[in-house]
Coordinates of all heavy atoms in Angstrom, one line a residue:
M188 N -2.0 26.2 -12.3 CA -1.8 25.1 -13.3 C -1.0 24.0 -12.6 O -1.3 22.8 -12.8 CB -1.0 25.7 -14.5 CG -0.7 24.6 -15.5 SD -2.2 24.0 -16.2 CE -1.6 22.7 -17.3
A189 N 0.0 24.4 -11.7 CA 0.8 23.4 -11.1 C -0.1 22.5 -10.1 O 0.2 21.3 -10.0 CB 1.9 24.0 -10.3
S190 N -1.0 23.1 -9.5 CA -1.9 22.4 -8.6 C -2.7 21.4 -9.3 O -3.0 20.3 -8.8 CB -2.7 23.3 -7.7 OG -3.6 24.0 -8.5
K191 N -3.2 21.7 -10.5 CA -4.0 20.8 -11.3 C -3.1 19.6 -11.8 O -3.5 18.5 -11.8 CB -4.6 21.5 -12.5 CG -5.7 22.4 -12.1 CD -6.4 23.1 -13.3 CE -7.4 24.1 -12.8 NZ -8.0 24.8 -13.9
L192 N -1.9 20.0 -12.2 CA -0.9 18.9 -12.6 C -0.6 18.0 -11.5 O -0.6 16.8 -11.6 CB 0.3 19.6 -13.2 CG 1.4 18.6 -13.7 CD1 0.8 17.9 -14.9 CD2 2.6 19.4 -14.1
L193 N -0.4 18.5 -10.3 CA -0.2 17.7 -9.1 C -1.4 16.8 -8.8 O -1.2 15.6 -8.5 CB 0.1 18.6 -7.9 CG 0.3 17.8 -6.6 CD1 1.6 17.0 -6.6 CD2 0.4 18.8 -5.4
L194 N -2.6 17.4 -8.9 CA -3.8 16.6 -8.6 C -3.9 15.5 -9.6 O -4.3 14.3 -9.2 CB -5.0 17.6 -8.7 CG -6.4 16.9 -8.4 CD1 -6.4 16.5 -7.0 CD2 -7.5 17.9 -8.7
V195 N -3.7 15.7 -10.9 CA -3.7 14.7 -11.9 C -2.7 13.6 -11.6 O -3.0 12.4 -11.7 CB -3.6 15.3 -13.3 CG1 -3.4 14.2 -14.3 CG2 -4.8 16.1 -13.6
A196 N -1.5 14.0 -11.3 CA -0.4 13.1 -11.0 C -0.7 12.2 -9.8 O -0.5 11.0 -9.9 CB 0.9 13.8 -10.8
V197 N -1.2 12.8 -8.8 CA -1.5 12.0 -7.6 C -2.7 11.0 -7.9 O -2.7 9.9 -7.5 CB -1.9 12.9 -6.4 CG1 -2.5 12.2 -5.3 CG2 -0.6 13.6 -6.0
F198 N -3.7 11.5 -8.6 CA -4.8 10.7 -9.0 C -4.4 9.5 -9.8 O -4.8 8.3 -9.6 CB -5.9 11.5 -9.8 CG -7.0 10.7 -10.2 CD1 -8.0 10.3 -9.3 CD2 -7.2 10.2 -11.5 CE1 -9.1 9.5 -9.7 CE2 -8.3 9.5 -11.9 CZ -9.2 9.1 -11.0
V199 N -3.5 9.7 -10.8 CA -3.0 8.6 -11.6 C -2.2 7.6 -10.8 O -2.3 6.4 -10.9 CB -2.2 9.2 -12.8 CG1 -1.4 8.1 -13.5 CG2 -3.1 9.9 -13.8
L200 N -1.3 8.1 -9.9 CA -0.5 7.2 -9.1 C -1.5 6.4 -8.1 O -1.2 5.2 -8.0 CB 0.5 8.0 -8.2 CG 1.6 8.6 -9.0 CD1 2.4 9.5 -8.1 CD2 2.5 7.5 -9.5
D201 N -2.5 7.0 -7.6 CA -3.4 6.3 -6.7 C -4.2 5.3 -7.5 O -4.5 4.2 -7.0 CB -4.3 7.3 -6.0 CG -3.6 8.0 -4.9 OD1 -2.5 7.6 -4.5 OD2 -4.1 9.0 -4.4
L202 N -4.6 5.6 -8.7 CA -5.3 4.7 -9.6 C -4.5 3.5 -9.9 O -5.0 2.4 -9.9 CB -5.8 5.4 -10.9 CG -6.8 4.8 -11.7 CD1 -8.1 4.6 -10.9 CD2 -7.1 5.6 -13.0
I203 N -3.2 3.7 -10.2 CA -2.3 2.6 -10.5 C -2.2 1.7 -9.3 O -2.2 0.5 -9.3 CB -0.9 3.1 -11.0 CG1 -1.1 3.7 -12.4 CG2 0.1 1.9 -11.0 CD1 0.2 4.4 -12.8
A204 N -2.0 2.3 -8.1 CA -1.9 1.6 -6.8 C -3.2 0.8 -6.6 O -3.1 -0.4 -6.1 CB -1.6 2.5 -5.7
F205 N -4.3 1.3 -6.9 CA -5.6 0.6 -6.7 C -5.6 -0.6 -7.6 O -6.0 -1.7 -7.2 CB -6.8 1.5 -6.9 CG -8.1 0.9 -6.8 CD1 -8.6 0.5 -5.6 CD2 -8.8 0.5 -8.0 CE1 -9.8 -0.1 -5.5 CE2 -10.0 -0.1 -7.9 CZ -10.5 -0.4 -6.6
G206 N -5.2 -0.4 -8.9 CA -5.2 -1.5 -9.8 C -4.3 -2.6 -9.4 O -4.6 -3.8 -9.5
L207 N -3.1 -2.2 -8.9 CA -2.2 -3.3 -8.4 C -2.7 -4.0 -7.2 O -2.5 -5.2 -7.0 CB -0.8 -2.6 -8.1 CG 0.0 -2.2 -9.3 CD1 1.2 -1.4 -8.8 CD2 0.4 -3.4 -10.1
A208 N -3.4 -3.3 -6.3 CA -4.0 -3.9 -5.1 C -5.1 -4.9 -5.5 O -5.2 -6.0 -4.9 CB -4.6 -2.8 -4.2
V209 N -5.9 -4.5 -6.5 CA -7.0 -5.4 -6.9 C -6.3 -6.6 -7.6 O -6.8 -7.8 -7.4 CB -7.9 -4.7 -7.9 CG1 -8.8 -5.7 -8.6 CG2 -8.7 -3.7 -7.2
A210 N -5.3 -6.4 -8.4 CA -4.6 -7.5 -9.0 C -4.0 -8.5 -8.0 O -4.0 -9.7 -8.2 CB -3.5 -7.0 -10.0
A211 N -3.4 -7.9 -6.9 CA -2.8 -8.7 -5.9 C -3.9 -9.6 -5.2 O -3.6 -10.7 -4.9 CB -2.1 -7.8 -4.8
E212 N -5.1 -9.0 -5.0 CA -6.1 -9.7 -4.4 C -6.6 -10.9 -5.3 O -6.9 -12.0 -4.8 CB -7.3 -8.8 -4.1 CG -8.5 -9.5 -3.4 CD -8.1 -10.0 -2.0 OE1 -7.2 -9.4 -1.3 OE2 -8.8 -10.9 -1.6
Q213 N -6.7 -10.6 -6.6 CA -7.1 -11.7 -7.5 C -6.1 -12.8 -7.7 O -6.4 -13.9 -8.0 CB -7.4 -11.0 -8.9 CG -8.5 -10.1 -8.9 CD -9.8 -10.8 -8.6 OE1 -10.1 -11.9 -9.0 NE2 -10.7 -10.1 -7.7
R214 N -4.8 -12.5 -7.5 CA -3.7 -13.5 -7.7 C -3.2 -14.0 -6.4 O -2.0 -14.4 -6.4 CB -2.6 -12.8 -8.5 CG -3.0 -12.3 -9.9 CD -3.2 -13.4 -10.9 NE -2.1 -14.3 -11.0 CZ -1.2 -14.4 -11.9 NH1 -1.2 -13.5 -12.9 NH2 -0.2 -15.2 -11.9
R215 N -4.0 -14.1 -5.4 CA -3.5 -14.6 -4.1 C -3.0 -16.0 -4.3 O -3.5 -16.8 -5.1 CB -4.6 -14.6 -3.1 CG -4.9 -13.3 -2.5 CD -5.9 -13.4 -1.3 NE -7.1 -14.1 -1.8 CZ -8.2 -14.2 -1.1 NH1 -8.2 -13.7 0.1 NH2 -9.3 -14.7 -1.5
S216 N -2.0 -16.4 -3.5 CA -1.5 -17.8 -3.6 C -2.5 -18.7 -3.0 O -3.2 -18.4 -2.1 CB -0.1 -17.9 -2.9 OG -0.3 -17.6 -1.6
T217 N -2.5 -19.9 -3.6 CA -3.4 -21.0 -3.1 C -2.5 -22.2 -2.8 O -1.4 -22.3 -3.2 CB -4.4 -21.4 -4.2 OG1 -3.7 -21.8 -5.4 CG2 -5.4 -20.2 -4.5
A218 N -3.1 -23.0 -1.9 CA -2.3 -24.2 -1.5 C -3.1 -25.5 -1.8 O -4.3 -25.5 -1.9 CB -2.1 -24.1 0.0
K219 N -2.3 -26.5 -2.0 CA -2.9 -27.9 -2.2 C -2.3 -28.7 -1.1 O -1.1 -28.6 -0.8 CB -2.5 -28.4 -3.6 CG -3.2 -27.7 -4.7 CD -2.9 -28.5 -6.0 CE -1.4 -28.2 -6.4 NZ -1.1 -28.8 -7.7
I220 N -3.1 -29.6 -0.6 CA -2.6 -30.5 0.5 C -2.1 -31.8 -0.2 O -2.8 -32.4 -1.0 CB -3.7 -30.9 1.5 CG1 -4.2 -29.6 2.2 CG2 -3.3 -31.9 2.4 CD1 -5.4 -29.8 3.1
V221 N -0.9 -32.1 0.1 CA -0.2 -33.3 -0.5 C 0.2 -34.2 0.6 O 0.6 -33.8 1.7 CB 1.1 -32.8 -1.3 CG1 1.8 -34.0 -1.9 CG2 0.7 -31.9 -2.4
Q222 N -0.1 -35.5 0.4 CA 0.3 -36.5 1.4 C 1.6 -37.1 1.0 O 1.9 -37.6 -0.1 CB -0.8 -37.6 1.4 CG -0.5 -38.6 2.5 CD -1.7 -39.6 2.7 OE1 -2.5 -39.7 1.8 NE2 -1.7 -40.3 3.8
D223 N 2.5 -37.2 2.0 CA 3.8 -37.8 1.9 C 3.6 -39.3 2.2 O 3.3 -39.7 3.3 CB 4.8 -37.2 2.8 CG 6.2 -37.7 2.6 OD1 6.4 -38.5 1.7 OD2 7.1 -37.2 3.3
S224 N 3.9 -40.1 1.2 CA 3.7 -41.6 1.4 C 4.7 -42.2 2.3 O 4.4 -43.2 3.0 CB 3.6 -42.3 0.1 OG 4.8 -42.1 -0.6
E225 N 5.9 -41.7 2.3 CA 7.0 -42.3 3.1 C 6.8 -42.1 4.6 O 6.9 -43.1 5.4 CB 8.3 -41.8 2.7 CG 8.8 -42.2 1.3 CD 10.1 -41.6 1.0 OE1 10.8 -41.1 1.9 OE2 10.5 -41.6 -0.2
V226 N 6.5 -40.9 5.0 CA 6.4 -40.6 6.5 C 4.9 -40.6 6.9 O 4.6 -40.6 8.1 CB 7.0 -39.3 6.8 CG1 7.1 -39.0 8.2 CG2 8.4 -39.2 6.2
N227 N 4.0 -40.6 6.0 CA 2.6 -40.6 6.2 C 2.1 -39.4 7.0 O 1.5 -39.5 8.0 CB 2.2 -41.9 7.0 CG 0.7 -42.2 6.8 OD1 0.0 -41.6 6.0 ND2 0.2 -43.0 7.7
Y228 N 2.3 -38.2 6.4 CA 1.8 -37.0 6.9 C 1.4 -36.1 5.7 O 1.9 -36.3 4.6 CB 2.7 -36.3 7.9 CG 4.0 -35.7 7.3 CD1 4.0 -34.4 6.9 CD2 5.1 -36.5 7.1 CE1 5.1 -33.8 6.3 CE2 6.2 -35.9 6.6 CZ 6.2 -34.6 6.1 OH 7.4 -34.1 5.6
N229 N 0.6 -35.1 6.0 CA 0.2 -34.1 5.0 C 1.0 -32.8 5.1 O 1.3 -32.4 6.2 CB -1.3 -33.8 5.1 CG -2.2 -35.1 4.9 OD1 -1.8 -36.0 4.2 ND2 -3.3 -35.1 5.5
Y230 N 1.2 -32.2 4.0 CA 1.8 -30.9 4.0 C 1.2 -30.1 2.8 O 0.6 -30.6 1.9 CB 3.3 -31.0 3.9 CG 3.8 -31.6 2.6 CD1 4.2 -30.9 1.5 CD2 4.0 -33.0 2.5 CE1 4.7 -31.5 0.3 CE2 4.4 -33.6 1.4 CZ 4.8 -32.8 0.3 OH 5.2 -33.4 -0.9
C231 N 1.4 -28.8 2.9 CA 0.9 -27.8 1.9 C 1.9 -27.5 0.9 O 3.1 -27.2 1.2 CB 0.4 -26.6 2.6 SG -1.0 -26.8 3.7
V232 N 1.5 -27.4 -0.4 CA 2.3 -26.9 -1.5 C 1.7 -25.7 -2.1 O 0.5 -25.8 -2.5 CB 2.5 -28.0 -2.6 CG1 3.3 -27.5 -3.7 CG2 3.1 -29.3 -2.0
Y233 N 2.4 -24.6 -2.0 CA 1.8 -23.3 -2.5 C 2.3 -23.1 -3.9 O 3.4 -23.4 -4.3 CB 2.3 -22.2 -1.6 CG 1.7 -22.2 -0.2 CD1 2.4 -22.9 0.8 CD2 0.5 -21.6 0.0 CE1 1.8 -22.9 2.1 CE2 -0.1 -21.7 1.3 CZ 0.6 -22.3 2.3 OH 0.1 -22.4 3.5
D234 N 1.4 -22.4 -4.7 CA 1.8 -22.0 -6.1 C 2.6 -20.7 -6.0 O 2.9 -20.2 -4.9 CB 0.6 -21.9 -7.0 CG -0.4 -20.8 -6.5 OD1 -0.2 -20.3 -5.4 OD2 -1.4 -20.5 -7.2
S235 N 3.1 -20.2 -7.2 CA 3.9 -19.0 -7.2 C 3.1 -17.8 -6.6 O 1.9 -17.7 -6.7 CB 4.3 -18.7 -8.6 OG 3.2 -18.4 -9.4
D236 N 3.9 -16.9 -6.0 CA 3.2 -15.8 -5.3 C 3.6 -14.5 -5.9 O 4.4 -13.7 -5.5 CB 3.7 -15.8 -3.8 CG 3.0 -14.9 -2.9 OD1 1.8 -14.5 -3.3 OD2 3.5 -14.5 -1.9
I237 N 2.9 -14.2 -7.0 CA 3.1 -12.9 -7.7 C 2.3 -11.8 -7.0 O 2.6 -10.6 -7.1 CB 2.6 -13.0 -9.2 CG1 3.1 -11.8 -10.0 CG2 1.1 -13.2 -9.3 CD1 4.5 -11.6 -10.2
S238 N 1.4 -12.2 -6.1 CA 0.6 -11.1 -5.4 C 1.4 -10.3 -4.5 O 1.1 -9.1 -4.3 CB -0.6 -11.8 -4.7 OG -0.1 -12.6 -3.7
T239 N 2.5 -10.8 -3.9 CA 3.4 -10.0 -3.1 C 4.0 -8.9 -3.9 O 4.1 -7.8 -3.4 CB 4.4 -10.9 -2.4 OG1 3.8 -12.0 -1.7 CG2 5.3 -10.1 -1.5
G240 N 4.4 -9.2 -5.1 CA 5.0 -8.2 -5.9 C 4.0 -7.1 -6.3 O 4.4 -5.9 -6.3
Y241 N 2.8 -7.5 -6.5 CA 1.7 -6.5 -6.8 C 1.5 -5.6 -5.6 O 1.3 -4.4 -5.7 CB 0.4 -7.2 -7.3 CG 0.5 -7.8 -8.6 CD1 -0.3 -8.9 -9.0 CD2 1.3 -7.2 -9.7 CE1 -0.3 -9.4 -10.2 CE2 1.3 -7.8 -10.9 CZ 0.5 -8.9 -11.2 OH 0.5 -9.4 -12.4
G242 N 1.4 -6.3 -4.4 CA 1.2 -5.5 -3.2 C 2.3 -4.5 -2.9 O 2.1 -3.4 -2.5
V243 N 3.6 -4.9 -3.1 CA 4.7 -4.0 -2.9 C 4.6 -2.9 -3.9 O 4.9 -1.7 -3.6 CB 6.0 -4.8 -3.0 CG1 7.2 -3.9 -3.1 CG2 6.2 -5.8 -1.8
G244 N 4.3 -3.2 -5.1 CA 4.1 -2.1 -6.1 C 3.1 -1.1 -5.8 O 3.3 0.1 -5.9
A245 N 1.9 -1.6 -5.3 CA 0.9 -0.7 -4.8 C 1.3 0.2 -3.7 O 1.1 1.4 -3.6 CB -0.4 -1.5 -4.4
F246 N 2.1 -0.4 -2.7 CA 2.6 0.3 -1.6 C 3.5 1.4 -2.1 O 3.5 2.5 -1.6 CB 3.3 -0.6 -0.6 CG 4.0 0.0 0.5 CD1 3.3 0.6 1.5 CD2 5.4 0.1 0.5 CE1 3.9 1.2 2.6 CE2 6.0 0.8 1.5 CZ 5.3 1.3 2.6
L247 N 4.4 1.1 -3.0 CA 5.4 2.1 -3.5 C 4.7 3.2 -4.2 O 5.1 4.4 -4.1 CB 6.4 1.4 -4.4 CG 7.4 0.4 -3.7 CD1 8.3 -0.3 -4.7 CD2 8.2 1.2 -2.6
F248 N 3.7 2.9 -5.0 CA 2.9 4.0 -5.7 C 2.2 4.9 -4.7 O 2.2 6.1 -4.9 CB 1.9 3.4 -6.7 CG 2.5 3.1 -8.1 CD1 2.9 1.8 -8.4 CD2 2.8 4.1 -9.0 CE1 3.4 1.5 -9.7 CE2 3.3 3.9 -10.2 CZ 3.7 2.6 -10.6
L249 N 1.7 4.3 -3.6 CA 1.1 5.1 -2.6 C 2.1 6.0 -1.9 O 1.8 7.1 -1.6 CB 0.3 4.2 -1.6 CG -1.0 3.7 -2.1 CD1 -1.6 2.7 -1.0 CD2 -2.0 4.8 -2.4
M250 N 3.3 5.4 -1.7 CA 4.3 6.2 -1.0 C 4.8 7.4 -1.9 O 5.0 8.5 -1.4 CB 5.5 5.3 -0.7 CG 5.3 4.4 0.4 SD 5.3 5.2 2.0 CE 7.0 5.7 2.2
V251 N 4.9 7.2 -3.2 CA 5.3 8.2 -4.1 C 4.2 9.3 -4.1 O 4.5 10.5 -4.1 CB 5.6 7.7 -5.5 CG1 5.8 8.8 -6.5 CG2 6.9 6.8 -5.5
S252 N 3.0 8.9 -4.1 CA 1.9 9.8 -4.1 C 1.9 10.7 -2.9 O 1.7 11.9 -2.9 CB 0.6 9.0 -4.3 OG -0.5 9.9 -4.1
Q253 N 2.1 10.0 -1.7 CA 2.1 10.7 -0.5 C 3.3 11.7 -0.4 O 3.2 12.8 0.1 CB 2.2 9.7 0.7 CG 2.0 10.3 2.0 CD 0.5 10.6 2.3 OE1 -0.3 9.8 1.9 NE2 0.2 11.7 2.9
A254 N 4.4 11.3 -0.9 CA 5.6 12.1 -0.9 C 5.4 13.3 -1.8 O 5.8 14.5 -1.5 CB 6.8 11.3 -1.4
L255 N 4.7 13.2 -3.0 CA 4.4 14.3 -3.8 C 3.5 15.3 -3.1 O 3.8 16.5 -3.2 CB 3.7 13.8 -5.1 CG 4.6 13.4 -6.3 CD1 3.7 12.8 -7.4 CD2 5.4 14.5 -6.8
V256 N 2.5 14.8 -2.4 CA 1.6 15.8 -1.7 C 2.4 16.5 -0.6 O 2.2 17.7 -0.4 CB 0.4 15.0 -1.2 CG1 -0.4 15.8 -0.2 CG2 -0.5 14.5 -2.3
M257 N 3.2 15.7 0.1 CA 4.0 16.3 1.2 C 5.0 17.4 0.7 O 5.2 18.4 1.3 CB 4.7 15.3 2.0 CG 3.8 14.5 2.9 SD 4.6 13.1 3.7 CE 5.9 13.9 4.6
A258 N 5.6 17.1 -0.4 CA 6.6 18.0 -1.0 C 5.9 19.3 -1.5 O 6.4 20.4 -1.3 CB 7.4 17.3 -2.1
A259 N 4.7 19.1 -2.2 CA 4.0 20.2 -2.7 C 3.4 21.1 -1.6 O 3.4 22.4 -1.8 CB 2.9 19.8 -3.6
S260 N 3.0 20.5 -0.5 CA 2.4 21.3 0.5 C 3.4 21.7 1.6 O 3.0 22.4 2.6 CB 1.2 20.5 1.2 OG 1.8 19.4 1.8
K261 N 4.6 21.3 1.4 CA 5.7 21.6 2.4 C 5.3 21.2 3.8 O 5.5 21.8 4.8 CB 6.1 23.1 2.4 CG 6.6 23.6 1.1 CD 7.2 24.9 1.2 CE 7.6 25.6 -0.1 NZ 8.1 24.7 -1.1
C262 N 4.7 20.0 3.8 CA 4.2 19.4 5.1 C 5.3 18.5 5.7 O 6.1 17.9 5.0 CB 3.0 18.5 4.7 SG 2.2 17.8 6.2
F263 N 5.3 18.5 7.0 CA 6.3 17.7 7.8 C 7.7 18.0 7.4 O 8.2 19.1 7.7 CB 6.0 16.2 7.7 CG 4.6 15.8 8.1 CD1 3.8 15.1 7.3 CD2 4.1 16.3 9.3 CE1 2.5 14.8 7.7 CE2 2.8 15.9 9.7 CZ 2.0 15.2 8.9
C264 N 8.4 17.1 6.8 CA 9.9 17.2 6.6 C 10.2 17.8 5.3 O 11.4 18.0 5.0 CB 10.5 15.8 6.7 SG 9.9 14.7 5.5
C265 N 9.3 18.2 4.4 CA 9.6 18.6 3.1 C 9.6 20.1 3.0 O 9.3 20.7 1.9 CB 8.6 18.0 2.1 SG 8.7 16.2 2.0
G266 N 9.9 20.8 4.0 CA 9.9 22.3 3.9 C 10.5 22.8 5.2 O 10.9 22.1 6.1
K267 N 10.4 24.2 5.3 CA 10.9 24.8 6.6 C 10.0 24.3 7.7 O 8.8 24.0 7.5 CB 11.0 26.3 6.4 CG 9.6 27.0 6.3 CD 9.8 28.5 6.2 CE 8.4 29.1 6.2 NZ 8.3 30.1 7.2
G268 N 10.5 24.4 8.9 CA 9.7 23.9 10.1 C 8.5 24.8 10.2 O 8.6 26.0 10.3
L269 N 7.4 24.2 10.4 CA 6.1 24.9 10.6 C 5.9 25.1 12.1 O 6.4 24.3 12.9 CB 4.9 24.1 10.0 CG 5.0 23.8 8.5 CD1 3.8 22.9 8.2 CD2 4.9 25.1 7.7
N270 N 5.3 26.2 12.4 CA 4.9 26.4 13.8 C 3.8 25.5 14.3 O 2.9 25.2 13.5 CB 4.5 27.9 14.0 CG 5.6 28.9 13.7 OD1 6.8 28.6 13.9 ND2 5.2 30.0 13.2
P271 N 3.9 25.0 15.5 CA 2.9 24.2 16.0 C 1.5 24.9 16.0 O 1.5 26.0 16.5 CB 3.3 23.8 17.4 CG 4.7 24.1 17.5 CD 5.0 25.2 16.5
S272 N 0.5 24.4 15.4 CA -0.8 25.0 15.4 C -1.8 23.9 15.2 O -1.5 22.8 15.0 CB -0.8 26.1 14.3 OG -0.7 25.5 13.1
G273 N -3.1 24.4 15.1 CA -4.2 23.5 14.8 C -4.0 22.8 13.4 O -4.4 21.7 13.3
S274 N -3.6 23.6 12.5 CA -3.4 23.0 11.1 C -2.4 21.9 11.1 O -2.6 20.9 10.4 CB -3.0 24.2 10.1 OG -4.0 25.2 10.1
R275 N -1.3 22.1 11.8 CA -0.3 21.0 11.8 C -0.8 19.8 12.5 O -0.6 18.7 12.1 CB 1.0 21.5 12.4 CG 2.1 20.5 12.4 CD 3.4 21.1 13.0 NE 4.4 20.1 13.0 CZ 5.4 20.0 12.1 NH1 5.4 20.8 11.1 NH2 6.3 19.0 12.2
A276 N -1.5 20.0 13.6 CA -2.1 18.9 14.3 C -3.1 18.1 13.4 O -3.1 16.9 13.4 CB -2.8 19.4 15.6
W277 N -3.9 18.8 12.7 CA -4.8 18.1 11.8 C -4.1 17.4 10.7 O -4.5 16.3 10.3 CB -5.9 19.1 11.2 CG -7.0 19.3 12.1 CD1 -7.3 20.4 12.8 CD2 -8.0 18.3 12.4 NE1 -8.4 20.2 13.6 CE2 -8.9 18.9 13.4 CE3 -8.3 17.0 12.1 CZ2 -10.0 18.3 13.9 CZ3 -9.3 16.4 12.6 CH2 -10.2 17.0 13.5
A278 N -3.0 18.0 10.2 CA -2.2 17.3 9.2 C -1.6 16.0 9.7 O -1.7 15.0 9.0 CB -1.1 18.2 8.7
V279 N -1.1 16.0 10.9 CA -0.6 14.8 11.5 C -1.7 13.7 11.7 O -1.6 12.6 11.4 CB 0.1 15.1 12.9 CG1 0.4 13.8 13.6 CG2 1.3 15.9 12.6
I280 N -2.9 14.2 12.2 CA -4.0 13.3 12.5 C -4.5 12.7 11.1 O -4.7 11.4 11.0 CB -5.1 14.0 13.2 CG1 -4.7 14.3 14.6 CG2 -6.4 13.2 13.2 CD1 -5.7 15.3 15.3
L281 N -4.6 13.5 10.1 CA -5.1 13.0 8.8 C -4.1 12.1 8.1 O -4.4 11.1 7.5 CB -5.5 14.1 7.9 CG -6.8 14.9 8.4 CD1 -7.0 16.1 7.5 CD2 -8.0 14.0 8.4
F282 N -2.8 12.4 8.3 CA -1.7 11.5 7.8 C -1.8 10.1 8.4 O -1.8 9.1 7.7 CB -0.4 12.1 8.1 CG 0.8 11.3 7.6 CD1 1.1 11.3 6.3 CD2 1.5 10.6 8.5 CE1 2.2 10.6 5.8 CE2 2.6 9.8 8.0 CZ 2.9 9.8 6.7
I283 N -2.0 10.1 9.7 CA -2.1 8.8 10.4 C -3.4 8.0 10.0 O -3.4 6.8 9.7 CB -2.1 9.0 12.0 CG1 -0.7 9.5 12.4 CG2 -2.4 7.7 12.7 CD1 -0.6 9.9 13.8
V284 N -4.5 8.7 9.9 CA -5.8 8.1 9.5 C -5.6 7.6 8.1 O -6.1 6.5 7.8 CB -6.9 9.1 9.6 CG1 -8.2 8.6 8.9 CG2 -7.2 9.4 11.1
C285 N -5.0 8.3 7.2 CA -4.8 7.9 5.8 C -4.1 6.6 5.7 O -4.5 5.6 5.1 CB -4.0 9.0 5.0 SG -3.6 8.5 3.4
W286 N -3.0 6.4 6.5 CA -2.2 5.2 6.5 C -2.9 4.1 7.2 O -2.8 2.9 6.9 CB -0.8 5.4 7.0 CG 0.0 6.0 5.9 CD1 0.4 7.3 5.8 CD2 0.5 5.4 4.8 NE1 1.1 7.6 4.7 CE2 1.2 6.4 4.0 CE3 0.5 4.1 4.3 CZ2 1.8 6.1 2.8 CZ3 1.1 3.8 3.1 CH2 1.8 4.8 2.4
Y287 N -3.7 4.4 8.2 CA -4.5 3.4 8.9 C -5.6 2.8 8.0 O -5.8 1.6 8.1 CB -5.1 3.9 10.2 CG -5.8 2.9 11.0 CD1 -5.1 1.9 11.6 CD2 -7.2 2.8 11.0 CE1 -5.8 0.9 12.3 CE2 -7.9 1.8 11.6 CZ -7.2 0.8 12.3 OH -7.9 -0.1 13.0
V288 N -6.2 3.6 7.2 CA -7.2 3.1 6.3 C -6.5 2.2 5.2 O -7.1 1.2 4.9 CB -7.9 4.3 5.6 CG1 -8.7 3.8 4.4 CG2 -8.8 5.0 6.6
V289 N -5.3 2.5 4.8 CA -4.7 1.7 3.8 C -4.2 0.4 4.4 O -4.3 -0.7 3.8 CB -3.5 2.5 3.1 CG1 -2.7 1.6 2.2 CG2 -4.0 3.6 2.4
F290 N -3.6 0.5 5.6 CA -3.1 -0.7 6.3 C -3.7 -0.9 7.7 O -3.2 -0.6 8.7 CB -1.6 -0.6 6.5 CG -0.8 -0.4 5.2 CD1 -0.3 0.9 4.8 CD2 -0.7 -1.4 4.3 CE1 0.3 1.1 3.7 CE2 0.0 -1.2 3.1 CZ 0.5 0.0 2.8
P291 N -5.0 -1.4 7.7 CA -5.7 -1.5 9.0 C -5.1 -2.5 10.0 O -5.4 -2.4 11.2 CB -7.1 -1.9 8.6 CG -6.9 -2.5 7.3 CD -5.8 -1.9 6.6
D292 N -4.3 -3.4 9.5 CA -3.8 -4.5 10.4 C -2.6 -4.0 11.2 O -2.1 -4.7 12.1 CB -3.4 -5.7 9.7 CG -4.7 -6.4 9.1 OD1 -5.8 -6.2 9.7 OD2 -4.6 -7.1 8.1
C293 N -2.0 -2.8 10.8 CA -0.8 -2.3 11.5 C -1.1 -1.7 12.8 O -2.1 -1.1 13.1 CB -0.1 -1.3 10.6 SG 0.5 -2.0 9.1

C-alpha cells in the first residue's frame, strides 16, 4: 500500500511541476523596443516576469519528488551506505540522465 501511495504522490508532484513548466512557457516575458528621444538610441523594456516564479516552482516540485523517491528507496544519502555494485552504478547513471533530460542546457 505504501508503494502505491508513494507512486501516486510522485505522480501528482510531477504533474504539478509539468503544469507549472507549461505555464512558465506560456507566460514568458516579452520586450518592446523604445526609442529614447534625448540621446537618440533604442532600448528594450520588458514586461513583468512571472515565468521565473513558475519555473522555480516546477523545479522545487521536481526536487521534492526526487527526494521522496530517494528516501523511499534508501538511495544515495537517504539510507545506510550501499555496497558498490552494478545496481548502484545504474542508479547514479539514471539519476544523472533524469536531471539532464529536465535541464539539458546544464
